[in-house]
Structure formats: structure tokens, C-alpha cells
Amino acid sequence: ASGSCGGTLTATIHFQDGSTDLGDVIYTFIMGVAETNTAFSQNFDGVSVPTLPAGWTTTASGGELPWVTSTANSSSPPNDAYVPDTAAIGETELVTPSISIPTGTQRLTFRQVHNMENGFDGAVLEISINSGPFQDIITAGGVFIVGGYDDPISSAFGNPLGGRLAWTGLSGGSVSNPAYITTKVDLPPAAAGQSIQLKWRAGTDSTGVATGSNGVRIDDIVIADAFFVCCGL
């Protein structure tokens, strides 16, 4: 195969049994072997629930509640960070300590579950660079690779996140047993070589809540550069 190291290679295999056409099977490969250098990681397992790790902070207003650590449905047991969906206007923030980001492209990867009233309650990710104002990760120049926002949040019922794209509805699985998804986002180029803070921010409106096991859970946060090693013949 030829191409750039770290590039995508698509292989299409066509199957046929005699005169019966069985169609194509398509495989996608990344060329090379992935290597990473980790700048930051957090899985919330080094504390006793409901305490957050050292340096992490949370604030809540209106009808929302502060974030806590929980053992109910973690991606990597025992703990995750959790906040419920509520039926009152409010918002809640989970903020990292200051993180020193190396030069080069850095990728944030984390596991999340969300079951929020679809289109009305939701969560977003924001970033502050060098103690500057928090901005949505996309507005600041970040790029979702996988697991990005679902839909806009309605402005009709007072959600502080109204009008913004957010994670809303059900991430996967069932309302009684929501499933984790992986989110990967390349940090803004302006973050390279700087100190940053990340904020997971959930907002709710004055209508109902998602049925079943609702809320947002975050786990297994990693910031690392990602590059690929290839050997040519």
C-alpha cells in the first residue's frame, strides 16, 4: 500500500458465489503504528465518592446540582463523574485543574454517557487558554474526530445553553442502561504549548427530564499527542 503515514487506507473486498453477487465488504485501516505521549489523564478512581479529585471544581446554579463522583455506571470501575438531569432551569460545571499542554497537535479523548431530555437538556465542552474566557471547544478552534455534539438545544424553555449545539438525548444503549461512547477532539492550535482548563457544562430547562437512568457521566479522560510510526521498504 502507498500513502502518508497516519493516513487512512480503505480496502474493498468483493464477494461472489458463482453467479450470486454477495456485494462488498469495506475495511478502513490507519497506515502505521500509533504512538502517544500522555500529557494528562484522569479516571476519577483515586478518591472516595462523592469527592472530586484534587484541583477539580464544580459550581451549580438554579435547579441543577454540582458534579460528584459516582460508582453507579463507570466506564472503568470504580468511579466516574456524574450530574443528573433535572426539571428546572439551571446549569452545572465540572472544571479541570490547570493543564500544561505540550507543543504540537494534542487530542482529548474521554468516555461519556448522556441521557438528557432530547433537544431540551444537554451538555457541552468548553476550554480556557492561559486563563482566558471559556469558549465552546469548537468556537475556540477544536475539531471533533468522533463522538461530537448531537443537536441544538431549544431556546424556548430557559435552558442556559439554548441555541447551542450540545450532547443531548441518549448516547446509546437503553434509557434504563445508557451506553458509553468515546469522544475524541483535537484541541485548538492556540492551546499548543499553553496552559488550559476544560469545562464540562450541563444545562437544563423548565420542562421534564429524560426517563430512566438520566444525566451525564464522564470517565477516562486523556490528553495526548497522537502520531504514527511507519517503516518503508
Side-chain angles (χ1 to χ4, degrees), residues 179-204:
Y180 273 88
I181 62 171
T182 298
T183 292
K184 297 182 179 183
V185 55
D186 285 347
L187 296 181
Q194 310 299 320
S195 64
I196 70 165
Q197 286 182 286
L198 297 171
K199 178 195 292 184
W200 283 266
R201 183 181 173 198
T204 54

Side-chain angles (χ1 to χ4, degrees), residues 74-228:
S74 59
S75 177
S76 61
N79 298 348
D80 56 37
Y82 167 72
V83 71
D85 194 5
T86 66
I89 296 172
E91 62 179 318
T92 179
E93 302 174 346
L94 175 68
V95 183
T96 69
S98 180
I99 303 168
S100 295
I101 299 298
T103 58
T105 301
Q106 300 293 312
R107 179 169 294 175
L108 165 68
T109 301
F110 63 96
R111 297 277 286 163
Q112 62 148 310
V113 130
H114 56 268
N115 181 22
M116 302 287 277
E117 186 186 19
N118 193 24
F120 298 97
D121 301 337
V124 297
L125 174 64
E126 299 180 346
I127 186 171
S128 165
I129 301 174
N130 281 340
S131 300
F134 278 96
Q135 302 180 75
D136 187 271
I137 191 70
I138 301 304
T139 303
V143 178
F144 282 114
I145 306 303
V146 67
Y149 295 143
D150 299 303
D151 288 300
I153 297 296
S154 171
S155 300
F157 300 100
N159 189 324
L161 301 179
R164 293 180 56 173
L165 285 170
W167 290 294
T168 186
L170 180 64
S171 56
S174 65
V175 295
S176 60
N177 187 26
Y180 273 88
I181 62 171
T182 298
T183 292
K184 297 182 179 183
V185 55
D186 285 347
L187 296 181
Q194 310 299 320
S195 64
I196 70 165
Q197 286 182 286
L198 297 171
K199 178 195 292 184
W200 283 266
R201 183 181 173 198
T204 54
D205 69 3
S206 60
T207 61
V209 300
T211 59
S213 178
N214 65 41
V216 180
R217 296 182 185 274
I218 305 294
D219 206 354
D220 298 334
I221 300 167
V222 175
I223 297 176
D225 60 4
F227 59 95
F228 292 82

